[in-house]
Structure formats: structure tokens, C-alpha cells
Amino acid sequence: MATTPAPRTRTTSAKRSANAKTEARDDDGRFTNEGTTSAPAPKRAGSASRKKPTRSDLNATTGQMLAAGAAGLAVGLAANVARKLAVQSPTYFAGEWDEALKAEHELTLKVFDAIEATTESNTTKRSMLLANLKHMLTKHALEEENAVYAAMRDAGEAEAADHLNNDHGYVKQYLYDLTMMPKDSPAWIAKVRQFRADITKHMREEETTLFPLLKGKLTPEKNKELTAAMNKEGLKIA
Ligand SMILES: [Fe+2]
Ligand SMILES: [Fe+2]
């Protein structure tokens, strides 16, 4: 079936007519780009000065980005070091290694006090205090295992050091069990009380027998070195 060509729309004719009035023609009646009365298309901002970046431009930009990143990293590291020093400072200022560890024992018992003061409805508070206890005991274990117990073995107290190290394994077991158990169950606080009894026995054995034994075997210079080594280990976790 033959189709009738679509008539030109008025819009198309009017547009062409308008263009004819504004666009210049040459002697043969052809349109030229010169002499038009229409305004030139506005240049995009910066287009005149935009050029393809050279390798040296890219190197300079990369250098600036790396410098900014390094500056940010330095600020972050400085803040992290300051925070670590603040966390370790109570231990550092408590005195020699044995006094410092005793101070940490007392702080640990204060966290147990706070946990035992909670009720079964305080599950969020229990979780937060447990996290606090876990951090304190992880730092304390590193200070003892990586410095003090090692010094005990070097001083001929390997059996005692291994016994204390074995106790630390069960400290981790308590922390794991308390993390996994429902915080609102009566069994949870019963486990906390059992944990407190066991860790108190361990701490008193360190404070009253095994740490004084080690301190007496070391020279003042060696005790000083052990204090520095213990604080260095603490800073790793602080
Ligand atoms: Fe210990
Ligand atoms: Fe301890």
C-alpha cells in the first residue's frame, strides 16, 4: 500500500527560515560560518586553559596526594601513640614491674566488682565490662608471659613460670565462655564469680610468692630492665 510522505511540520520550516535570516551566505548563496548574527556558543569554564596533563603534571599531583596521605598517617600514628601511652601510664607510674602488675591486679578486681553489681537486665553493660576485662587481661598476660615469666625461666623458675602460664590459658577460657554465653542468664554471673575466685588465687600466688622470689634473684639493674621490657610489651596491646 502506497504511503503518503509526512508533510513538513511548521516547526521545521520556521526553524529553517529563522536560521536563514541569521546565517550569512557567500556569493553563491551557500551558508558560511562568518558574519552570523547569532551569539557564539559560550565557552565552558576553563576550557581555554585546559590541556592534556603531562607526565610531570601527573607526577606532581601524585606527589601532593602522597604527601597529604603521609601527613594524615603521621597525625593518626601520633594520636595512636598518645592513646597507648595514656593507657599504659598507670602501670608505668605504679613503679617497678612487680608493683605495676599488682596495681593491674587491683584494677582487674574493680572491674569484677562492677560486673557483679549488674543485674540480668543490664546485658549491654555486662558486654561492655566484659570487653574491658578482656582488654585489661590480654595486656596483662602479654606483660607477664613475654617478659616476667620468661625472666622467671631464665632465673631457674621454669616450673613456676609454666604453672602460671597454664593458669592464663584458663583465663582465656573463662573470657571465651563468658563471651559466648547469654548475658542475661543466671549461669553467666555464676561463671563470673568462679572466674574471680580462680584469678584471685592466681594473682595472690604471683604477688606473695613467685614475684618476690624472682625480684630477689635479680640485680637492681636486671629488675630495671625487666620493668622496661614489661612496659614495652604492655604498649603493644594498650
Ligand atoms: Fe598472671
Ligand atoms: Fe598477674
Side-chain angles (χ1 to χ4, degrees):
M1 188 172 71
T3 56
T4 308
R8 287 181 178 173
T9 62
R10 296 186 116 195
T11 306
T12 305
S13 302
K15 198 171 175 183
R16 179 165 295 178
S17 172
N19 286 344
K21 287 177 187 171
T22 56
E23 293 178 15
R25 294 170 185 256
D26 60 15
D27 295 341
D28 299 324
R30 290 189 293 259
F31 290 111
T32 69
N33 292 330
E34 293 177 9
T36 60
T37 55
S38 60
K43 287 183 179 175
R44 290 170 61 190
S47 62
S49 60
R50 184 177 296 159
K51 61 182 174 56
K52 189 176 179 184
T54 63
R55 182 173 290 278
S56 65
D57 289 339
L58 291 173
N59 286 343
T61 305
T62 305
Q64 286 166 2
M65 288 170 70
L66 288 174
L73 182 63
V75 169
L77 286 174
N80 195 35
V81 168
R83 185 193 59 75
K84 279 174 170 283
L85 289 173
V87 171
Q88 188 63 16
S89 62
T91 303
Y92 181 81
F93 288 112
E96 288 205 328
W97 63 269
D98 56 327
E99 293 152 352
L101 293 172
K102 188 177 179 183
E104 288 194 352
H105 291 166
E106 298 313 311
L107 275 176
T108 301
L109 292 179
K110 283 192 176 2
V111 178
F112 272 101
D113 287 341
I115 293 175
E116 289 187 78
T118 60
T119 65
E120 289 175 8
S121 62
N122 300 139
T123 53
T124 303
K125 193 171 181 184
R126 283 183 172 184
S127 294
M128 288 172 67
L129 288 168
L130 180 62
N132 189 6
L133 189 63
K134 200 182 286 189
H135 180 262
M136 290 173 76
L137 289 174
T138 302
K139 186 171 90 70
H140 189 78
L142 208 69
E143 290 166 343
E144 291 188 337
E145 292 169 17
N146 289 12
V148 178
Y149 297 176
M152 283 174 72
R153 292 188 188 91
D154 284 347
E157 298 296 332
E159 193 178 334
D162 292 346
H163 153 68
L164 292 176
N165 203 69
N166 189 59
D167 285 352
H168 281 195
Y170 286 92
V171 168
K172 292 177 177 76
Q173 185 68 44
Y174 274 119
L175 291 169
Y176 173 78
D177 289 342
L178 289 169
T179 301
M180 303 307 284
M181 290 167 69
K183 308 292 179 296
D184 58 355
S185 80
W188 192 84
I189 203 69
K191 177 77 80 176
V192 167
R193 293 193 180 107
Q194 193 186 345
F195 184 13
R196 182 184 188 139
D198 284 352
I199 203 169
T200 301
K201 188 174 168 219
H202 171 89
M203 293 189 300
R204 296 305 173 228
E205 191 177 8
E206 288 179 333
E207 291 171 14
T208 61
T209 311
L210 298 175
F211 287 177
L213 180 66
L214 175 63
K215 194 168 189 182
K217 286 189 172 193
L218 300 179
T219 63
E221 188 59 33
K222 287 288 178 192
N223 272 307
K224 197 176 167 187
E225 285 175 14
L226 181 53
T227 300
M230 183 213 67
N231 277 302
K232 198 173 171 185
E233 293 301 324
L235 276 173
K236 290 179 184 171
I237 300 285

